Amino acid sequence: MSTTSAADPDVVDGVPRSRIVVASMVGTSIEFFDFYIYATAAVLVFPRLFFPSGNDTTALLASFATFGLAFVARPLGSILFGHFGDRVGRKATLVGSLLTMGIATFLIGLLPTYGNVGIVAPMLLALMRFVQGLGLGGEWSGAALLATETAKEGKRAWAAMWPQLGAPIGFFMANGLFLILTLVLGYDSATSDAEHAFLTWGWRIPFLLSAIMVIIGLYVRLKLEETPVFKRALERGQKVKTPVAEVFRSSWRPLILGTFVMLATYTLFYIMTTWVVSYGTGKVVDHSGVKVAIKYTDFLGLQIIAVLFFAAFVPVSGWLADKYGRRITLIVITSAIIVFGLSFHWFAAPESATAGRMLLFMCVGLALMGLTFGPMSAVLPELFPTNVRYTGSGISYNTASILGAAVAPFIATYLVNSYGVGWVGVYLAIAAALTLTALVIMRETRNQSLDTPV
């Protein structure tokens, strides 16, 4: 329970709740913008400029491999930033994670390509992607705790869904900016050559613009106070010397459950955003030999429409999780994801995958993504005591990113080439079944006090 003013319940320790909401949402929007511009470039730019190959699929897979590298770094980032978040405080650590992510993203915009420096180019790109992962690994749990540890009683999932909105907002900005650039510069991924303005300098603009957004995020976050829940933990002398050792010693069960609770969410999102671009624009050929060929700019427009469904259903899920509980809400949603996975062939089989059907496919998938993603920033923090909450929730969230997101585009690309698009849906359904099992085992956390160790 947070400390509020008797005169104004919308103020926490002198800070308006509206400022806290904006700080949590703006920060995650910037971080996810940085993360997603890489995901978009991993399909559109990097295979041509950093991973040249005589085989388009091989170059795409190499690009996806560096895309997945950040997910390997994210658990390390959660341990690094979690250590300071649980010992020094949420506010200072959030500033550090934002700077880490922002600097790495800006530097990607300055990197030389393979044609300039050879093998050094993909090595530098991989390094910056790894640093991006470190930053985002510390960002999510800090933003989630900022929201949950200052929430009104009974409204914790609603408060926690605001930083979750940063994901669709960041995605919308990233893809919107790339769409504008390709239209203004007249770039066509199917016909434009390597000397086109978009490939020589245009793709760098989103990465360089991230510097401006980071400055805005820093301004907002520096005006915050430490969360009252963390202050009270310090007053009680609950700070631990090594949070990562403590969380593995005392909270190993929540670590495992939290990881698998997040698995379906990650798998769904990166299939519906990163992999689907390569599939829908015809860069991946189905095993039947039929190509799905939608012009890149058209497909990006479809994806931007679909991500609005993601954003719209995040608040819905926050409301449902507060009203009915986290566990039952997520059990129903995860069951729906399994059904959706088993319907992939109907939605996206290459012989029938029109632009309209692909739009419906993405709208359904991203609506489910909003429903499953929204409550997570309440669920995972509620599994852990205050003195290891930053570390524990971060490790669970980001370990799931390795099992789900890091490999999802790679596995989906292999499956669609070898067995057909229906098997990509089976892969999603299996991941969702594992999440469903974890949810059945997990106890309800809606009424869990954040001041009381689990």
Side-chain angles (χ1 to χ4, degrees):
M1 185 182 297
S2 57
T3 304
T4 59
S5 166
D8 189 352
D10 290 322
V11 174
V12 181
D13 286 359
V15 179
R17 289 188 193 276
S18 58
R19 183 185 297 171
I20 297 171
V21 164
V22 169
S24 64
M25 186 171 63
V26 167
T28 53
S29 297
I30 294 168
E31 295 269 13
F32 280 108
F33 169 82
D34 288 355
F35 208 69
Y36 293 151
I37 56 177
Y38 189 102
T40 302
V43 174
L44 185 64
V45 177
F46 297 150
R48 298 186 69 173
L49 299 184
F50 287 84
F51 303 97
S53 166
N55 184 295
D56 288 344
T57 300
T58 300
L60 179 64
L61 290 173
S63 183
F64 278 160
T66 60
F67 170 78
L69 186 61
F71 295 97
V72 177
R74 281 170 64 162
L76 299 178
S78 65
I79 292 172
L80 173 64
F81 288 102
H83 176 85
F84 294 104
D86 284 326
R87 286 187 57 79
V88 177
R90 307 342 188 184
K91 174 185 172 180
T93 306
L94 277 170
V95 169
S97 67
L98 185 61
L99 279 173
T100 301
M101 183 77 167
I103 292 171
T105 304
F106 180 80
L107 290 176
I108 289 175
L110 300 176
L111 290 181
T113 64
Y114 188 92
N116 300 129
V117 295
I119 193 65
V120 174
M123 291 172 64
L124 290 174
L125 182 64
L127 175 62
M128 291 302 101
R129 183 59 174 169
F130 187 85
V131 176
Q132 271 194 321
L134 288 178
L136 192 57
E139 164 64 27
W140 179 85
S141 50
L145 267 56
L146 181 64
T148 57
E149 293 183 345
T150 57
K152 289 182 180 179
E153 186 173 355
K155 299 291 184 181
R156 203 155 57 210
W158 179 258
M161 70 88 187
W162 290 102
Q164 301 297 78
L165 274 175
I169 290 172
F171 186 85
F172 184 86
M173 291 191 300
N175 275 19
L177 186 51
F178 267 109
L179 178 59
I180 291 170
L181 284 169
T182 54
L183 290 174
V184 170
L185 296 176
Y187 176 73
D188 186 329
S189 59
T191 60
S192 298
D193 60 32
E195 301 303 316
H196 192 279
F198 177 77
L199 290 178
T200 54
W201 57 267
W203 69 270
R204 300 179 184 273
I205 292 175
F207 292 92
L208 299 177
L209 284 179
S210 68
I212 298 173
M213 301 177 68
V214 168
I215 292 171
I216 295 171
L218 288 174
Y219 173 78
V220 173
R221 285 188 168 174
L222 288 171
K223 297 177 76 68
L224 295 176
E225 296 293 330
E226 189 53 75
T227 71
V229 171
F230 182 75
K231 288 179 181 178
R232 289 194 291 271
L234 292 182
E235 291 168 0
R236 293 193 295 263
Q238 292 182 337
K239 183 167 67 174
V240 294
K241 184 176 181 180
T242 312
V244 66
E246 177 62 24
V247 78
F248 277 103
R249 185 190 68 80
S250 64
S251 300
W252 59 269
R253 187 174 184 272
L255 278 175
I256 296 172
L257 282 177
T259 297
F260 282 96
V261 164
M262 272 297 304
L263 180 62
T265 303
Y266 265 125
T267 307
L268 172 64
F269 184 68
Y270 283 93
I271 285 177
M272 298 309 302
T273 54
T274 302
W275 167 78
V276 78
V277 176
S278 66
Y279 179 72
T281 55
K283 297 198 187 312
V284 176
V285 181
D286 185 85
H287 78 297
S288 64
V290 181
K291 227 181 186 183
V292 179
I294 300 173
K295 188 177 177 182
Y296 176 78
T297 50
D298 294 340
F299 194 89
L300 202 55
L302 298 179
Q303 200 170 38
I304 288 172
I305 293 171
V307 84
L308 297 176
F309 285 79
F310 180 11
F313 280 91
V314 168
V316 173
S317 66
W319 179 81
L320 289 171
D322 275 333
K323 184 173 178 63
Y324 298 106
R326 287 65 159 131
R327 185 170 172 268
I328 188 61
T329 298
L330 287 171
I331 284 175
V332 172
I333 294 165
T334 305
S335 299
I337 293 172
I338 294 174
V339 174
F340 175 65
L342 298 178
S343 71
F344 266 37
H345 185 76
W346 182 87
F347 275 112
E351 62 271 13
S352 58
T354 62
R357 187 169 289 195
M358 289 300 291
L359 176 61
L360 177 61
F361 176 55
M362 289 188 290
C363 287
V364 173
L366 288 175
L368 288 170
M369 176 62 195
L371 289 171
T372 185
F373 188 60
M376 290 301 175
S377 56
V379 173
L380 297 188
E382 288 168 351
L383 292 173
F384 299 93
T386 304
N387 59 355
V388 293
R389 185 170 295 133
Y390 201 125
T391 303
S393 60
I395 290 175
S396 289
Y397 181 84
N398 291 299
T399 302
S401 76
I402 295 178
L403 301 177
V407 297
F410 196 95
I411 291 175
T413 299
Y414 169 76
L415 288 174
V416 77
N417 272 280
S418 302
Y419 305 106
V421 71
W423 282 93
V424 179
V426 172
Y427 164 55
L428 172 62
I430 292 171
L434 292 172
T435 290
L436 187 62
T437 302
L439 289 168
V440 170
I441 296 171
M442 187 188 87
R443 61 181 178 78
E444 178 57 56
T445 60
R446 174 173 49 171
N447 297 318
Q448 174 66 45
S449 170
L450 295 187
D451 272 329
T452 304
V454 177

